[in-house]
Amino acid sequence: MKRLLYASLAACGLTILPLVILRLSFNSAAVSALKWTSTTLLLPGTYLAFVAGGERIDDISFLVADSANFIFYSVLSYVLLAAWEKRRARRSI
């Protein structure tokens, strides 16, 4: 249960934080790199929303994109946490 909570929190961060970073109005090199990274993090959900919208770029639903990103990153975080705990348990033996 604890792993599920941590995976959900990580997914919230990986879904909301890139959206906040993309709203920054600064034009420095560091902010540009952060915006590029944020855009890359949002690609899985954007691609799914693109396919779900009939492959028309104008019909992308941000609700679908953000939900897909949340599910993708929560599953990814859950699997990584499970593997980390398994490896840590194996090392302690």
Side-chain angles (χ1 to χ4, degrees), residues 20-40:
V20 172
I21 289 173
L22 288 174
R23 290 193 162 263
L24 294 176
S25 61
F26 306 118
N27 289 327
S28 68
V31 172
S32 295
L34 280 174
K35 286 183 179 184
W36 181 81
T37 305
S38 298
T39 304
T40 304

Side-chain angles (χ1 to χ4, degrees), residues 48-57 59:
L48 186 68
F50 175 71
V51 171
E55 298 182 2
R56 293 189 57 205
I57 197 72
D59 293 339

